[in-house]
């Protein structure tokens, strides 16, 4: 058995679940980050995860992994720092359990987050939204799924983690149509659905034909989409939409832009900012919409 395996298992079952009681979304994010790391190390060393030791996860290897995220996977500084947070959490947990590797662990924990300039918040204009939603190929199963996902994302402003966490039973259609989600801080909320979104979802749910506890937006094999998969499909459809709407810049369009677009659509419709905050799941207070710019101007 790998020297890392018992600590890795304890990190999830003891530290995250029992001690910190973090949300399933956080657990999934940490799982994906550490899975990416282990796969990267296997490719670099030729060692399967079952044989890895802490010496295989030194600061040089972690640094190479972070570089790989930016250069090969084209992740931005925020995603890079999110992956680093998961790694730091694991190593902080390991510090008291592996004093023999204290120096190695200390060096990894000292890796700094990457600083970056905060840009204006980007959002899509109505024309750009229409172009993006029409981009998926509706002759394909994946295209019909992606169109429903994009429309729901733009209309509800759900976070990516909330979108991929939706089950078929979370969509309630008819009078008072809404979608229920579990957001940050384990807080549940229900977001209203417009008639157009409801119509698309009804068609998708009929085709999806899933049980209430199955993912609303699955892969071909029925598994839940990952955050990376949603990022890729947004970028792919943005590239297609840019042919019809040149003001769309695919390299700037990431899933969170859809959330910003929802907020700005509500704001332009005259919805009170306190209502928008609740709509988006900002229970701690209202976030000002100042400092926003259309995607074409960002």
């Amino acid at each position: 058995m790998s020297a890392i395996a018992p600590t890795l298992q304890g990190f999830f079952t003891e530290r995250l679940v029992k001690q910190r009681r973090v949300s399933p979304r956080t657990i999934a994010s940490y799982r994906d980050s550490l899975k990416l790391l282990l796969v990267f190390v296997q490719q670099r060393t030729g060692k399967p995860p079952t044989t890895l030791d802490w010496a295989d996860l030194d600061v040089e290897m972690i640094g190479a992994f972070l570089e790989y995220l930016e250069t090969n996977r084209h992740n931005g500084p925020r995603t890079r720092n999110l992956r680093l947070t998961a790694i730091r959490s694991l190593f902080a947990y390991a510090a008291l359990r592996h004093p023999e590797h204290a120096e190695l662990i200390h060096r990894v924990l000292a890796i700094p987050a990457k600083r970056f300039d905060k840009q204006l918040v980007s959002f899509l204009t109505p024309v750009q939204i229409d172009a993006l939603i029409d981009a998926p190929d509706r002759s394909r199963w994946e295209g019909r799924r992606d169109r429903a996902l994009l429309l729901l994302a733009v209309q509800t402003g759900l976070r990516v983690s909330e979108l991929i966490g939706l089950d078929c039973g979370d969509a309630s259609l008819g009078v008072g149509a809404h979608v229920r989600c579990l957001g940050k801080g384990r807080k549940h909320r229900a977001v209203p659905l417009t008639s157009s979104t409801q119509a698309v979802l009804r068609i998708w749910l009929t085709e999806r034909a899933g049980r209430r506890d199955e993912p609303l937006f699955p892969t071909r094999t029925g598994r839940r989409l990952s955050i990376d998969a949603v990022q890729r499909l947004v970028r792919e459809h943005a590239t297609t939409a840019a042919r019809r709407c040149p003001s769309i810049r695919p390299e700037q369009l990431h899933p969170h832009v859809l959330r910003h677009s929802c907020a700005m659509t509500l704001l332009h419709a005259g919805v009170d900012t306190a209502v928008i905050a609740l709509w988006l799941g900002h229970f701690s207070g209202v976030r000002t919409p100042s400092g926003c710019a259309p995607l074409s101007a960002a």
Side-chain angles (χ1 to χ4, degrees):
M1 178 185 289
S2 165
I4 297 173
T7 303
L8 190 60
Q9 180 174 331
F11 172 66
F12 281 97
T13 59
E14 296 294 328
R15 179 60 172 165
L16 297 184
V17 175
K18 293 183 179 179
Q19 296 176 7
R20 294 187 58 193
R21 298 178 63 83
V22 301
S23 71
R25 306 289 184 266
T26 300
I27 292 175
S29 175
Y30 280 27
R31 176 204 64 204
D32 292 344
S33 296
L34 296 175
K35 180 180 177 181
L36 282 172
L37 172 62
L38 294 177
V39 170
F40 174 80
V41 175
Q42 179 179 3
Q43 292 173 344
R44 291 288 293 264
T45 65
K47 297 181 180 180
T50 53
T51 64
L52 292 177
D53 200 344
W54 290 103
D56 298 310
L57 300 180
D58 58 15
V59 68
E60 287 75 19
M61 183 64 75
I62 301 300
F65 171 67
L66 297 174
E67 180 69 20
Y68 158 78
L69 292 177
E70 295 188 80
T71 57
N72 292 68
R73 295 182 65 87
H74 306 293
N75 292 156
R78 287 183 177 86
T79 301
R80 182 254 195 206
N81 291 343
L82 180 66
R83 304 301 189 197
L84 178 59
T85 296
I87 295 171
R88 281 176 172 172
S89 295
L90 172 63
F91 275 72
Y93 176 78
L96 297 177
R97 288 156 182 79
H98 296 280
E100 70 276 17
H101 295 295
E103 177 60 25
L104 181 151
I105 292 173
H106 172 73
R107 293 186 66 198
V108 171
L109 291 175
I111 297 175
K114 188 161 189 176
R115 302 184 64 178
F116 55 93
D117 295 329
K118 292 185 178 180
Q119 300 178 346
L120 292 175
V121 175
S122 301
F123 65 91
L124 297 173
T125 65
V127 172
Q128 292 171 333
I129 290 174
D130 290 342
L132 179 64
I133 292 173
D134 287 341
D137 181 359
R138 278 177 270 179
S139 67
R140 302 178 64 246
W141 181 87
E142 288 87 353
R144 296 188 292 275
R145 177 201 63 191
D146 293 354
R147 181 170 182 265
L149 185 150
L150 291 171
L151 180 59
L152 185 65
V154 170
Q155 194 255 287
T156 62
L158 296 185
R159 299 176 178 90
V160 180
S161 60
E162 295 167 347
L163 276 171
I164 63 177
L166 291 176
D167 292 330
C168 294
D170 291 328
S172 179
L173 307 181
V175 179
H178 63 275
V179 64
R180 297 181 299 275
C181 71
L182 178 64
K184 284 188 175 180
R186 296 177 179 272
K187 291 183 172 66
H188 292 268
R189 74 180 187 280
V191 184
L193 298 175
T194 64
S195 57
S196 58
T197 302
Q198 183 179 183
V200 171
L201 272 183
R202 178 175 283 110
I203 295 172
W204 169 245
L205 281 168
T206 300
E207 178 175 4
R208 169 72 179 87
R211 296 193 305 268
R212 291 182 57 83
D213 61 347
E214 291 183 330
L216 178 59
F217 300 114
T219 64
R220 271 284 187 181
T221 58
R223 300 175 62 185
R224 205 172 291 277
L225 286 172
S226 67
I227 291 178
D228 283 347
V230 175
Q231 292 173 338
R232 287 194 297 270
L233 73 85
V234 169
R235 184 67 59 84
E236 173 188 341
H237 296 312
T239 300
T240 301
R243 301 181 191 131
R244 164 186 167 186
C245 186
S247 63
I248 291 178
R249 297 178 182 176
E251 69 279 2
Q252 296 178 355
L253 212 168
H254 50 82
H256 215 66
V257 171
L258 308 184
R259 183 168 163 83
H260 297 159
S261 303
C262 171
M264 295 306 296
T265 298
L266 293 171
L267 186 68
H268 291 158
V271 178
D272 186 86
T273 53
V275 175
I276 297 176
L278 292 173
W279 187 295
L280 298 179
H282 292 316
F283 295 97
S284 59
V286 178
R287 295 192 180 185
T288 174
S290 61
C292 296
L295 185 65
S296 58

